[in-house]
Amino acid sequence: MRQVRTLSKESVSRSRLFGLLILAIVGARVLGLFFNQLDLGTDESQYWHWSRSFDFGYFSKPPLIAWIIGASTALFGNAEWAVRLAFPLLHGGTAWALYLLGRALYSDRVGFWAGLGYLALPAASLSSGVASTDAPLLLCWTSALALFAASLERRTLAKSLALGLLIGAGFLAKYAMIYFALAAGLTALIRRDARSFLLSSHGALVGAGALAAMSPNLLWNARNGFSTVSHTAANANWGASLFNPDAFLKFFGDQFVVFGPLYFAALLAGAALFVVRGGRGRGGAPSKADRLLIAFSAPILLIILAQAFISRAHANWAAAAIPAVTLMTTAWLLNRQWTPLLKGVVAAHLALGAGLLGLAAQPNWADEAGLANAFKRVRGWETTAAVVAETARRQGGLPVIAQNRDVAAALLYYGRGDETLAGRIRVHAPHPAPRNHFEAALPIMRAEEPSLFVTKSAAPPPETLGETEFLGAARVRTGQGKERTVFFFRVGAPSAD
């Protein structure tokens, strides 16, 4: 009895320590947002624009990210830190869910180091400083995985319904949540308890809960020509040249950053040993926990690796596999007594995360370190909007037509308080079908009144916009040796003089 109480006290002590570490790390990242000098990126400004009007779907993504930003900005205003506020908190929640999953599948110690390792990952550090769909996806995914694992041990109606709702919520964050159904189905093939659960009334309740949560977005897509689904499919880019080994190698190399070099290398080593030993590890066949985590990581990685080889894949497209990979490789490393290496890597990752906070607060440090290129897409947008507003005023307060998605996003966010820009921005939409949200929401084909056409290209505007007069160009610094050039044209009816 005394041994059990001691272990229980250890567990409680470790839980408290982990909770304090989450509070400290997430608190530092939230505090860093107040000192962050980087402008909103194009996607972030677009998500903010979505959040201005509540809906059950948007052009290129499901709605959860817009709802999150809408809630935080309703409470705290529209400053950059308020737009990004929820995202370090979401990653903290994911780390806690991974800790609980690791504790249930392996041990309290494994859960501790897996949760801390996840929160320290370079990808989590970067993602905590920006508004992105990966943060809510990973929280829903990891929480659903923890609930799925718990349901395999002891099923209840409440857990089954909560699991379905979590899966549906993840779908509202990012359509990559559909991999969860694939992974659960694969688990059912290799584990009898999963098969029994999914084929029971509890499995039906999971499906009903998921469908109920997803249905508003599915109905929105049906009413809007399945624009989000079509955009997601178009991202696969299978209409371009197929078979791209360079894209495959780039994506493969990027995973050492996304998953962390130690975790991804351990995954590759473990997979190689598994194949060499004919499907058996050093201690025999993989455990039930290992099989669950393999099912929730391997199919995702293989699918996206195939996608990268066939066409292309962004580095974060396999992000849903991060929780399972982090937990599984942490268990392997601890089991093989590689604890000092694991601790060293986690410490190094935390130090790197602290450095990223410093670079965001002092972008000039990035210039001095030769990293200006890495930050150029999130610098200079506020200045760009100010230059556009001043040019429009000099032309008598012309309304603005933006050619580029990124320019449109910056003008809508950073021009929100300028009477010259607010409510007076349209986006050139030359194609029969819109290519992005702004072409769908603020389209203009022909300027019926004199307007200021803003573009990053020196080429003259399309003839469909009417008569054209070149007004000049402006260069905006985006880092040491980096600049953004915007060109201005007067389009539409000729000027009075």
Side-chain angles (χ1 to χ4, degrees):
M1 293 294 292
R2 183 175 299 174
Q3 184 181 10
V4 173
R5 277 197 298 270
T6 301
L7 290 173
S8 179
K9 288 179 180 178
E10 264 184 35
S11 178
V12 171
S13 176
R14 190 173 277 126
S15 295
R16 288 175 177 171
L17 175 59
F18 187 64
L20 290 173
L21 287 172
I22 288 181
L23 288 175
I25 296 168
V26 172
R29 290 172 179 174
V30 170
L31 184 63
L33 295 179
F34 293 92
F35 297 95
N36 193 324
Q37 298 300 308
L38 301 176
D39 294 339
L40 293 188
T42 298
D43 285 343
E44 293 178 288
S45 294
Q46 174 181 271
Y47 300 150
W48 171 85
H49 189 248
W50 290 352
S51 74
R52 300 305 87 195
S53 56
F54 178 89
D55 211 335
F56 289 109
Y58 299 92
F59 182 86
S60 58
K61 294 286 191 302
L64 187 56
I65 190 167
W67 298 351
I68 291 169
I69 293 172
S72 65
T73 53
L75 290 172
F76 302 109
N78 292 301
E80 290 95 334
W81 67 263
V83 173
R84 295 164 170 159
L85 178 62
F87 298 90
L89 304 177
L90 293 170
H91 282 292
T94 301
W96 182 258
L98 192 59
Y99 164 69
L100 295 178
L101 177 62
R103 187 172 68 178
L105 293 183
Y106 295 103
S107 69
D108 192 68
R109 180 167 171 258
V110 171
F112 177 92
W113 284 107
L116 186 59
Y118 167 83
L119 199 57
L121 286 177
S125 295
L126 284 169
S127 185
S128 292
V130 299
S132 78
T133 54
D134 286 331
L137 168 71
L138 288 171
L139 176 58
C140 292
W141 178 282
T142 311
S143 301
L145 180 53
L147 203 52
F148 180 61
S151 296
L152 298 186
E153 296 298 321
R154 181 175 178 271
R155 64 187 74 169
T156 67
L157 292 177
K159 282 194 289 190
S160 299
L161 179 58
L163 174 57
L165 294 175
L166 272 172
I167 293 171
F171 184 86
L172 296 181
K174 197 171 183 178
Y175 290 157
M177 192 70 190
I178 200 169
Y179 292 132
F180 197 97
L182 172 66
L186 181 59
T187 306
L189 293 177
I190 59 178
R191 282 184 52 169
R192 182 180 300 175
D193 54 354
R195 187 160 57 252
S196 172
F197 172 71
L198 292 175
L199 295 178
S200 71
S201 58
H202 290 269
L205 185 57
V206 171
L211 185 60
M214 292 187 290
S215 59
N217 180 251
L218 296 175
L219 292 172
W220 181 92
N221 267 284
R223 291 196 304 268
N224 291 272
F226 292 95
S227 64
T228 313
V229 175
S230 299
H231 176 84
T232 303
N235 266 347
N237 200 36
W238 283 14
S241 60
L242 300 182
F243 308 112
N244 296 278
D246 290 345
F248 173 87
L249 291 174
K250 182 181 184 305
F251 174 80
F252 185 82
D254 288 342
Q255 300 319 294
F256 284 93
V257 177
V258 172
F259 288 87
L262 175 64
Y263 301 102
F264 196 59
L267 177 69
L268 296 176
L273 288 173
F274 184 76
V275 172
V276 168
R277 291 171 176 166
R280 302 180 69 83
R282 181 186 300 175
S287 68
K288 289 172 64 176
D290 288 344
R291 280 180 280 161
L292 175 69
L293 297 177
I294 289 170
F296 276 84
S297 56
I300 302 167
L301 280 165
L302 292 174
I303 288 170
I304 304 301
L305 283 167
Q307 162 64 29
F309 182 72
I310 292 171
S311 176
R312 64 177 184 181
H314 294 304
N316 67 329
W317 281 11
I322 291 176
V325 168
T326 304
L327 178 53
M328 182 167 52
T329 54
T330 297
W332 291 348
L333 291 167
L334 291 175
N335 186 51
R336 285 158 179 76
Q337 306 301 317
W338 285 14
T339 307
L341 175 62
L342 181 63
K343 290 180 178 180
V345 168
V346 170
H349 285 172
L350 288 172
L352 177 61
L356 291 173
L357 288 178
L359 293 177
Q362 295 290 337
N364 289 337
W365 293 353
D367 295 341
E368 295 169 6
L371 299 173
N373 194 58
F375 292 91
K376 67 181 181 181
R377 291 181 177 84
V378 285
R379 297 177 69 180
W381 287 119
E382 185 173 11
T383 303
T384 300
V387 169
V388 171
E390 180 58 32
T391 303
R393 279 191 288 271
R394 287 202 307 266
Q395 294 298 315
L398 293 180
V400 174
I401 300 173
Q403 182 186 34
N404 314 91
R405 171 177 172 265
D406 48 0
V407 171
L411 295 182
L412 286 164
Y413 178 76
Y414 287 105
R416 66 190 185 279
D418 191 308
E419 61 182 14
T420 305
L421 297 180
R424 308 186 74 226
I425 298 167
R426 304 291 293 278
V427 180
H428 186 225
H431 303 281
R435 298 171 301 175
N436 57 63
H437 160 73
F438 301 111
E439 289 186 8
L442 302 166
I444 186 169
M445 283 289 295
R446 180 175 180 83
E448 302 296 340
E449 60 178 327
S451 302
L452 179 67
F453 185 74
V454 183
T455 175
K456 293 196 298 182
S457 169
E463 294 181 0
T464 54
L465 287 173
E467 296 187 31
T468 298
E469 176 189 354
F470 178 63
L471 299 176
R475 291 179 172 83
V476 176
R477 185 177 183 273
T478 59
Q480 190 174 57
K482 306 292 178 182
E483 59 183 22
R484 178 182 303 116
T485 304
V486 287
F487 300 86
F488 302 103
F489 297 85
R490 186 186 183 100
V491 297
S495 61
D497 36 297

